């Protein structure tokens, strides 16, 4: 079998959107979830790539439990370092490019201003360190790679901050949300579109060397977690029984096992300059996601009647 795109981590937020978007674009995609393919299994990875023969491999699989990673470093590194290393090895052996997704958590968040791709890397926790190790494993073995660093991902499918806020709003009148971490929310559907735009470009033309490498890719603009919570409730209000109050709190008042960067804002200018890709403002994407989710819920309800 020959396919255009092979996707790993198909059941995650991004993996799910990649499948949906690939279908809409009539891209032949084979999407493997964790049961189909464990990316930490070197032989299974090589077997999947050699039998599927994709024109490009997109890795949407990752260990993403930021706090749990502090007590499960071996598991985090097996998936976030060994997995990408195996994928890069299989891509090198079969002569195809790899698009891999990484994170703002490779930075320590102390920079005054948005992070560029070449800024110094200093993860604050195990998750970020494991993702950085994965980036380096790819860089060291496969020149034909694209590493897309993203941040604050949410989508219609999977667990994320937006859905957590909507769930808590059902039972709580006031929500205490961190207001001193800054970043940019990224809609998984928009990230999937950007990823597929790049996949189509790199498989349809001979890419100059500057087309490969590391790129930042988040929604446009910036906010804080409490700013995001406020917007979620503003947009969702027609469908909420009542709008909860959002009380901004400092990170110190909400201790977690993993430390998180205070500044997660990524400068995405290199992606715009190289590929002409700019994700829409985060508020527009959030409104779209909430609209889609509410339409789906309404359709589900109709289906149950
Ligand atoms: N979510 C964010 O806010 C965020 C922020 C910055 C960067 N990123 C990066 O963006 C990418 C996509 O994230 P996401 O939000 O879509 O993550 P996600 O929803 O947690 O999806 C990750 C998927 O990978 C699967 N997986 C875990 N271990 C695997 C293995 N050994 N082999 C194959 N599949 C495995 C998971 O399966 P199980 O659920 O069964 O474990 C899950 O379906 C990741 O690289 C992540 O690091 C995410």
């Amino acid at each position: 079998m020959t396919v255009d795109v092979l996707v790993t981590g198909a059941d995650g937020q991004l993996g799910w959107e990649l499948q949906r978007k690939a279908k809409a674009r009539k891209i032949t995609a084979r999407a493997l979830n964790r049961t189909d393919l464990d990316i930490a299994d070197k032989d299974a990875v090589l077997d999947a790539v050699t039998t599927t023969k994709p024109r490009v491999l997109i890795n949407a699989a990752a260990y993403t439990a930021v706090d749990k990673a502090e007590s499960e470093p071996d598991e985090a590194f097996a998936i976030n370092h060994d997995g990408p290393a195996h994928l890069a090895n299989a891509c090198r052996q079969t002569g195809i490019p790899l698009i891999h997704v990484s994170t703002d958590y490779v930075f320590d968040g102390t920079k005054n201003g948005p992070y560029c791709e070449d800024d110094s890397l200093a993860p604050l926790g195990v998750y970020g360190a494991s993702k950085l190790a994965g980036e380096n494993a790819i860089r060291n073995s496969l020149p034909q790679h694209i590493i897309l660093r993203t941040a604050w991902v949410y989508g219609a499918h999977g667990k994320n901050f937006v859905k957590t806020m909507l769930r808590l709003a059902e039972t709580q009148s006031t929500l205490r949300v961190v207001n001193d971490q800054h970043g940019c929310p990224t809609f998984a559907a928009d990230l999937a579109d950007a990823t597929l735009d790049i996949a189509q470009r790199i498989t349809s033309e001979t890419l100059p060397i500057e087309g490969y490498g590391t790129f930042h890719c988040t929604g446009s603009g910036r906010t804080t977690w409490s700013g995001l919570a406020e917007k979620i409730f503003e947009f969702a209000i027609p469908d909420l029984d009542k709008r909860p109050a959002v009380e901004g709190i400092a990170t110190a008042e909400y201790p977690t096992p993993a430390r998180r960067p205070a500044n997660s804002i990524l400068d995405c200018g290199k992606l715009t300059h190289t590929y002409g890709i700019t994700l829409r403002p985060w508020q527009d994407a959030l409104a779209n996601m909430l609209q889609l989710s509410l339409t789906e819920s309404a359709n589900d309800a109709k289906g149950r009647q």
Side-chain angles (χ1 to χ4, degrees):
M1 176 175 57
T2 305
V3 300
D4 292 325
V5 176
L6 178 62
V7 176
T8 56
D11 285 348
Q13 300 194 82
L14 175 61
W16 189 81
E17 289 291 356
L18 283 167
Q19 294 181 72
R20 203 168 67 87
K21 296 281 185 178
K23 198 170 169 192
R25 292 176 183 224
K26 302 200 182 345
I27 293 173
T28 324
R30 179 139 165 71
L32 305 176
N33 64 21
R34 191 178 188 158
T35 311
D36 303 321
L37 176 65
D38 174 359
I39 63 164
D41 182 336
K42 186 176 183 182
D43 294 339
V45 166
L46 186 58
D47 187 52
V49 176
T50 48
T51 53
T52 310
K53 298 188 187 73
R55 301 179 68 209
V56 59
L57 174 55
I58 301 175
N59 179 33
Y63 180 107
T64 56
V66 175
D67 287 319
K68 215 168 154 201
E70 296 298 310
S71 53
E72 290 186 350
D74 292 348
E75 176 85 352
F77 271 81
I79 298 167
N80 291 344
H81 167 262
D82 300 359
H86 301 330
L87 295 166
N89 172 58
C91 287
R92 194 183 62 249
Q93 289 199 37
T94 52
I96 59 159
L98 170 65
I99 303 178
H100 172 74
V101 184
S102 192
T103 173
D104 52 315
Y105 282 22
V106 296
F107 298 114
D108 66 9
T110 56
K111 184 178 174 183
N112 187 11
Y115 277 97
C116 298
E117 287 77 356
D118 293 336
D119 279 327
S120 53
L121 303 163
L124 296 174
V126 170
Y127 166 72
S130 68
K131 292 292 289 184
L132 174 55
E135 288 190 5
N136 287 334
I138 293 169
R139 280 191 202 101
N140 292 337
S141 70
L142 182 74
Q144 272 186 301
H145 70 259
I146 299 218
I147 293 169
L148 283 180
R149 287 196 194 119
T150 191
W152 294 25
V153 179
Y154 66 90
H157 176 89
K159 289 184 199 155
N160 56 59
F161 180 84
V162 176
K163 289 177 159 190
T164 302
M165 286 297 114
L166 290 174
R167 194 185 67 245
L168 292 175
E170 288 172 9
T171 54
Q172 297 185 27
S173 55
T174 302
L175 295 172
R176 302 176 81 230
V177 186
V178 168
N179 67 2
D180 57 1
Q181 290 172 29
H182 303 260
C184 192
T186 306
F187 184 19
D190 292 354
L191 180 61
D193 267 328
T195 308
L196 292 174
D197 283 347
I198 296 170
Q200 290 188 297
R201 279 281 295 282
I202 64 179
T203 52
S204 64
E205 60 190 74
T206 310
L207 208 61
I209 194 73
E210 62 270 22
Y212 289 108
T214 303
F215 298 86
H216 288 171
C217 183
T218 67
S220 297
R222 62 180 68 180
T223 187
T224 60
W225 291 113
S226 62
L228 175 55
E230 293 276 16
K231 245 342 171 208
I232 294 166
F233 299 136
E234 182 187 320
F235 289 154
I237 194 64
D239 296 276
L240 288 178
D241 289 341
K242 61 178 171 42
R243 179 175 175 164
V246 175
E247 183 192 332
I249 58 166
T251 298
E253 292 178 75
Y254 188 74
T256 52
R259 288 171 64 210
R260 286 159 167 79
N263 173 16
S264 272
I265 298 163
L266 304 183
D267 183 327
C268 302
K270 185 181 167 194
L271 187 69
T272 304
H273 177 71
T274 310
Y275 282 99
I277 295 170
T278 306
L279 301 199
R280 62 185 150 166
W282 69 266
Q283 298 93 329
D284 295 355
L286 176 66
N288 187 193
M289 179 267 187
L290 290 170
Q291 198 181 26
L292 289 173
S293 297
L294 296 170
T295 309
E296 273 171 28
S297 308
N299 287 343
D300 285 353
K302 266 193 216 152
R304 281 196 299 274
Q305 281 168 3

